[in-house]
Amino acid sequence: MSRLISNTVHILENDQDAINAAYQVADFALEGRNIRDQTRQLPFEEVSLFSQKGLGGLRIPKKYGGAEVSNKTLAHVFRIINKADSSLGQIPQNQIALLNMINLMGTEQQKQFIFTEILNGKRLANGGPERNTKDSKTLNTKLHFENGKYLITGQKFYSTGSSFADWLAIKAVHPEGHVVLTIINRHSQGIEVINDWNGFGQRTTSSGTIILDQVEVDPFLIFDERILAQETNYRGAFSQLLQVAIDVGIAEAAFADTLSTVSKARPIIDANVDKASFEHYTLQEVGRSQILLDAAILLLDEAADYLDELDALGEVSAEQAGLASIKVAEAKIYANDAALLISEKLLELGGSRSSLSEHNLDQHWRNARVHTLHDPVRWKFHALGDYYLNNKLPARHAWI
């Protein structure tokens, strides 16, 4: 269903305003979710509505004109939107995390410029990861200085949201050898955005290729990432909080569909009941799913509350930043399990008819499986064990 999107961008006033806006975007997104997923149709109108409602800048500090909502509200907003459509919900996740990084390492002039662009409805997409490197931190993309200009050349993948972006956040190796984050106009000469993401889940996130061929970079929009290591911060926990909220939203969607699907399913003949919703084993599994989902939500809220406590402090210690990552990791483990297990149980309890393509119920498991690959929980368990047994603080990066 099409909707005329206003050119006027709403400026969020407070946390409740952000939650109300999230429900409006979610209601619109849900209408066409299944068709978009089945046909890989990108959600241009839905992304535009997200920006028009002011949600792109919901965490921008108040001194720059943003609402600076709490981390708990941020998590709630992402749960709401990802319950409706987790592809749509993943798209702005990188923007929110990138704006947090810019707030940590940018000058006042840089922050004022970028934050104003976002508050005016412009969008920022990720261009960090690359294919065929030894790990996700290794970069082949280079920034070089030639004829008085900074130029960047390279190729990116997993560039979520790039088709909808006004600005691209491109990580590259500086001529001096360190990593920088560059903010580049999406329509600059030498940039090609290719929507070639073909994952079986999160199908409409536009997480494909960006090709950069001698693209000019404004020196004003080059950020030295070494600054992030100079002062203790919890940007990794903040980034992961968003990932947890995405998984919880997927789990909530799967559980809602479980309730409606089981109510229509036929009982197994041995149960000797009139409806599948009366089957003893079905009741048991639905109860297990509800408890798992409740635990994931509670741990997410607890982690968000702790980040809000740290926000209030301003400066934090290494121990406090480490505990933030631990709390978010605990939430991530339960969110991972809730998203995967509930979406799988939906198909089991729904019976054979739940596998029909017309219902598109498999999307929840597909989305959960693909999204949870970003930061596998096996390393969350490792970090937790090392922390509680050996008092070792977790690594400081965006994946823990």
Side-chain angles (χ1 to χ4, degrees):
M1 183 179 295
S2 178
R3 173 178 297 184
L4 182 62
I5 305 299
S6 170
N7 290 324
T8 303
V9 177
H10 175 65
I11 301 298
L12 296 175
E13 296 181 0
N14 50 47
D15 289 49
Q16 188 59 53
D17 196 13
I19 291 171
N20 293 342
Y23 277 117
Q24 292 169 17
V25 173
D27 288 346
F28 181 47
L30 185 58
E31 294 175 10
R33 178 191 69 189
N34 290 348
I35 293 175
R36 290 194 302 274
D37 176 73
Q38 292 176 327
T39 62
R40 294 185 181 270
Q41 178 183 333
L42 296 182
F44 283 100
E45 284 190 304
E46 291 73 15
V47 170
S48 293
L49 184 62
F50 180 93
S51 298
Q52 184 258 317
K53 291 296 180 182
L55 290 168
L58 81 174
R59 277 286 295 177
I60 288 177
K62 292 179 180 179
K63 66 179 290 188
Y64 301 105
E68 197 172 4
V69 304
S70 68
N71 290 285
K72 192 169 186 177
T73 294
L74 175 67
H76 192 183
V77 164
F78 269 74
R79 278 176 52 201
I80 291 167
I81 295 175
N82 280 278
K83 180 180 179 181
D85 180 356
S86 65
S87 282
L88 174 66
Q90 186 184 340
I91 290 165
Q93 170 262 316
N94 283 305
Q95 173 172 301
I96 303 302
L98 286 163
L99 292 177
N100 182 60
M101 288 175 57
I102 289 170
N103 192 42
L104 292 171
M105 63 181 174
T107 66
E108 286 299 309
Q109 293 77 15
Q110 288 173 322
K111 288 188 281 189
Q112 186 68 63
F113 175 78
I114 295 295
F115 293 161
T116 299
E117 284 287 285
I118 299 301
L119 291 173
N120 286 334
K122 298 295 181 66
R123 289 183 290 274
L124 176 64
N126 181 47
E130 301 181 5
R131 301 177 85 170
N132 305 317
T133 54
K134 69 174 185 176
D135 56 45
S136 57
K137 292 185 70 175
T138 302
L139 300 175
N140 290 323
T141 301
K142 308 294 184 183
L143 180 71
H144 57 281
F145 194 72
E146 183 178 315
N147 297 325
K149 298 179 180 179
Y150 279 103
L151 302 172
I152 195 167
T153 297
Q155 185 167 312
K156 301 292 184 176
F157 195 62
Y158 308 113
S159 305
T160 300
S162 52
S163 294
F164 317 99
D166 300 286
W167 295 94
L168 299 174
I170 305 294
K171 288 191 177 186
V173 179
H174 190 273
E176 296 177 1
H178 58 275
V179 174
V180 293
L181 177 72
T182 65
I183 306 298
I184 304 174
N185 189 304
R186 153 74 174 81
H187 300 290
S188 297
Q189 184 176 352
I191 292 179
E192 183 179 6
V193 174
I194 305 171
N195 179 34
D196 56 352
W197 169 249
N198 64 355
F200 62 73
Q202 300 296 86
R203 290 175 171 176
T204 62
T205 57
S206 180
S207 296
T209 299
I210 297 174
I211 297 175
L212 305 117
D213 183 12
Q214 295 286 90
V215 179
E216 185 173 352
V217 180
D218 185 346
F220 174 65
L221 296 177
I222 299 175
F223 299 81
D224 188 343
E225 290 210 354
R226 290 177 298 182
I227 295 173
L228 295 173
Q230 292 173 1
E231 293 185 6
T232 302
N233 60 69
Y234 42 97
R235 73 177 183 94
F238 178 83
S239 177
Q240 284 296 297
L241 188 79
L242 295 167
Q243 308 289 1
V244 176
I246 292 172
D247 292 340
V248 170
I250 295 172
E252 290 183 283
F255 188 71
D257 277 348
T258 298
L259 297 181
S260 61
T261 301
V262 169
S263 67
K264 302 170 187 175
R266 294 186 298 180
I268 190 169
I269 191 170
D270 295 326
N272 294 316
V273 294
D274 295 330
K275 298 170 64 177
S277 59
F278 294 156
E279 279 193 38
H280 291 356
Y281 295 119
T282 296
L283 296 176
Q284 174 179 282
E285 294 303 327
V286 170
R288 288 181 189 275
S289 293
Q290 179 68 74
I291 291 297
L292 181 57
L293 179 57
D294 284 347
I297 293 172
L298 287 169
L299 286 169
L300 172 60
D301 285 347
E302 181 181 297
D305 281 338
Y306 186 68
L307 293 192
D308 285 328
E309 290 178 22
L310 297 187
D311 281 354
L313 293 176
E315 294 185 9
V316 299
S317 66
E319 289 72 21
Q320 289 170 320
L323 181 56
S325 289
I326 290 300
K327 286 183 175 292
V328 176
E330 291 173 346
K332 173 62 178 175
I333 289 169
Y334 269 80
N336 174 91
D337 291 354
L340 289 171
L341 295 177
I342 295 173
S343 60
E344 197 278 332
K345 281 295 176 182
L346 159 62
L347 301 174
E348 176 190 336
L349 300 179
S352 298
R353 71 181 63 186
S354 68
S355 68
L356 297 177
S357 296
E358 64 197 69
H359 302 309
N360 205 38
L361 293 176
D362 61 305
Q363 68 181 297
H364 303 307
W365 184 88
R366 289 188 285 102
N367 291 338
R369 183 63 282 177
V370 169
H371 185 259
T372 54
L373 297 175
H374 283 73
D375 39 303
V377 294
R378 63 184 181 271
W379 279 97
K380 306 295 183 183
F381 284 112
H382 174 274
L384 292 174
D386 219 8
Y387 177 81
Y388 288 115
L389 188 61
N390 301 316
N391 298 313
K392 184 176 180 181
L393 297 179
R396 288 179 56 191
H397 53 63
W399 297 278
I400 186 62

